[in-house]
Amino acid sequence: MARTSLKLDLALDKVLLSNLPKDGKVIQVHKLGLSEWCDTTRYDVELPTGEISRFFEKRAYGPDGAELIAGHWHSESSIYKFIPEFFPRPIATGTYESNPDAHFFLMEFEDMIDDVIPGPETYMAAPVALQLRSLGKSPTGKFGFRVVTRFANLSQQNDWDLSWEVWWTKHTNFILQREEKIRGPYSEEDAKTKQEYVDRVLPRYLRPLETNGRSIQPALCHTELWPGNVKYRLDNVSPLVSDSNALWAHGEAELGLIRNPRYPLGKAFIEEYLNKIPISEPEEDFDSRNIIYLLRHQICLASVYPNEVKLRDVFLDNMRLLINRLNNEEREQKVA
């Protein structure tokens, strides 16, 4: 078990200390304040050799905190197994002996360069490697994830399903119902748009992935690759990725957030991914699927930030775009 200096003895829990290097000494504790949803702390540990090792802790409280920490632990640990060169090493998770209401996740600490977004090739290196190495290796052979994860402070249900269309439709209904509960009811017209999107658009653009002799295999996805979670290491060359919300999914689902105009990413980053990963068949439906995957992120953002009034309008406009696209397809088919 690591030791602490006398000034730190009362602040550090025995369970946490037991997961730091044996015979090390905690010499500094830095409160980082990096998250709205959990406490974040860096521990500097002096080893018997005199070397300094640094560790990063996420800590949250109560049942919600336990769920948040479990989601982070299982997400980061699962992804680390496939792409360890892109992720800090997860070390341990547990509950404080001194406070059974406090739950933590400990990993190695790595410095990153803030305020610089890596270029497309560097930025997309981790999701490309994750897709290539994890494809077809879902522990159940199904889509979903082993535990509930969190989008910010919101629980994400991840029940397993063999069908991607079924999984995505259930998940979409779940996040739409949650958004309505948080933000209030829809107008009659918007409610119709929402239902038409679920009933018509989702089967039209997802079902072809798994019919007419086609199939897709689950790949492990990060799903939270916004610029705050993808940064350069201090070498200003290699990328470091963090804070995943892992999901065994159709690999293209990773690109939904990348399309979101809220972030300075977009087409060049998507093209970089597609240079390495073939588009799923039917290829002509890719853009529509990409908007569907974008919509998940936009609906969740509307739930996290209910005071940003326009966020609901943003995702409803994208639903209408897809509905109009489908209507045009159907008219063209009738003419043909």
Side-chain angles (χ1 to χ4, degrees):
M1 179 185 295
R3 298 174 292 117
T4 66
S5 69
L6 291 176
K7 292 181 179 179
L8 298 176
D9 269 340
L10 297 177
L12 301 186
D13 184 83
K14 289 182 179 179
V15 177
L16 178 69
L17 286 170
S18 71
N19 288 288
L20 294 173
K22 184 180 179 182
D23 298 326
K25 180 180 179 181
V26 179
I27 57 173
Q28 290 288 337
V29 176
H30 302 269
K31 303 293 185 182
L32 300 176
L34 298 176
S35 173
E36 296 179 57
W37 322 116
C38 62
D39 294 339
T40 52
T41 307
R42 192 187 88 197
Y43 299 97
D44 294 354
V45 179
E46 183 178 7
L47 305 180
T49 60
E51 180 184 358
I52 306 299
S53 291
R54 296 187 294 175
F55 302 88
F56 179 69
E57 179 202 24
K58 293 180 181 179
R59 184 170 66 252
Y61 302 89
D64 283 347
E67 180 180 274
L68 183 150
I69 293 299
H72 277 300
W73 167 255
H74 286 286
S75 291
E76 309 284 278
S77 298
S78 297
I79 291 178
Y80 182 82
K81 291 176 183 177
F82 290 104
I83 52 170
E85 69 270 36
F86 294 105
F87 257 80
R89 182 174 67 90
I91 295 171
T93 188
T95 298
Y96 274 25
E97 178 181 294
S98 58
N99 180 4
D101 214 32
H103 312 282
F104 73 92
F105 167 32
L106 187 69
M107 67 184 81
E108 291 181 344
F109 180 89
E110 291 200 48
D111 277 313
M112 299 177 286
I113 298 175
D114 288 325
D115 303 323
V116 178
I117 299 176
E121 184 175 4
T122 302
Y123 198 100
M124 301 306 293
V128 165
L130 183 59
Q131 161 85 358
L132 292 172
R133 297 176 195 176
S134 69
L135 183 65
K137 296 178 181 177
S138 164
T140 64
K142 299 178 182 180
F143 300 98
F145 197 61
R146 65 181 65 187
V147 297
V148 172
T149 53
R150 290 288 183 108
F151 185 99
N153 63 329
L154 301 175
S155 297
Q156 300 285 84
Q157 298 298 324
N158 296 314
D159 296 343
W160 298 105
D161 203 289
L162 278 170
S163 165
W164 177 238
E165 179 196 349
V166 171
W167 190 96
W168 193 266
T169 301
K170 286 180 179 178
H171 186 74
T172 299
N173 279 318
F174 168 75
I175 61 175
L176 283 170
Q177 290 165 9
R178 179 178 63 194
E179 190 271 349
E180 185 169 12
K181 183 177 180 181
I182 292 171
R183 295 180 72 107
Y186 291 80
S187 68
E188 183 177 348
E189 179 183 350
D190 289 346
K192 181 180 177 182
T193 295
K194 180 183 67 168
Q195 200 59 49
E196 193 168 2
Y197 169 74
V198 172
D199 293 344
R200 294 183 61 222
V201 171
L202 294 187
R204 162 60 189 90
Y205 295 113
L206 296 184
R207 189 167 299 167
L209 291 167
E210 302 174 295
T211 54
N212 295 325
R214 292 182 288 264
S215 64
I216 53 173
Q217 293 181 305
L220 190 58
C221 294
H222 182 289
T223 82
E224 291 295 331
L225 291 171
W226 70 288
N229 289 339
V230 185
K231 299 184 180 184
Y232 280 118
R233 288 183 165 94
L234 293 185
D235 63 9
N236 205 31
V237 175
S238 56
L240 188 69
V241 181
S242 60
D243 281 348
S244 62
N245 181 14
L247 177 66
W248 289 95
H250 177 212
E252 290 176 11
E254 195 78 278
L255 302 178
L257 180 151
I258 305 298
R259 184 175 180 140
N260 196 335
R262 188 179 180 94
Y263 310 117
L265 303 172
K267 185 176 180 181
F269 291 77
I270 293 173
E271 288 178 348
E272 174 61 31
Y273 181 96
L274 297 178
N275 285 337
K276 309 289 196 311
I277 309 292
I279 295 174
S280 298
E281 295 291 343
E283 187 172 339
E284 61 270 21
D285 290 345
F286 170 79
D287 188 69
S288 298
R289 294 194 300 264
N290 191 220
I291 297 172
I292 286 171
Y293 300 147
L294 162 65
L295 274 160
R296 175 191 190 242
H297 192 253
Q298 292 182 326
I299 295 165
C300 289
L301 281 175
S303 300
V304 173
Y305 303 111
N307 294 325
E308 292 191 34
V309 178
K310 293 184 178 180
L311 288 179
R312 176 179 280 185
D313 294 334
V314 166
F315 74 71
L316 284 168
D317 284 346
N318 276 324
M319 287 181 177
R320 293 187 187 100
L321 184 156
L322 290 174
I323 291 168
N324 290 335
R325 182 176 291 181
L326 177 54
N327 289 339
N328 289 336
E329 285 181 5
E330 292 176 346
R331 280 194 291 269
E332 291 173 1
Q333 289 171 358
K334 288 180 181 178
V335 170

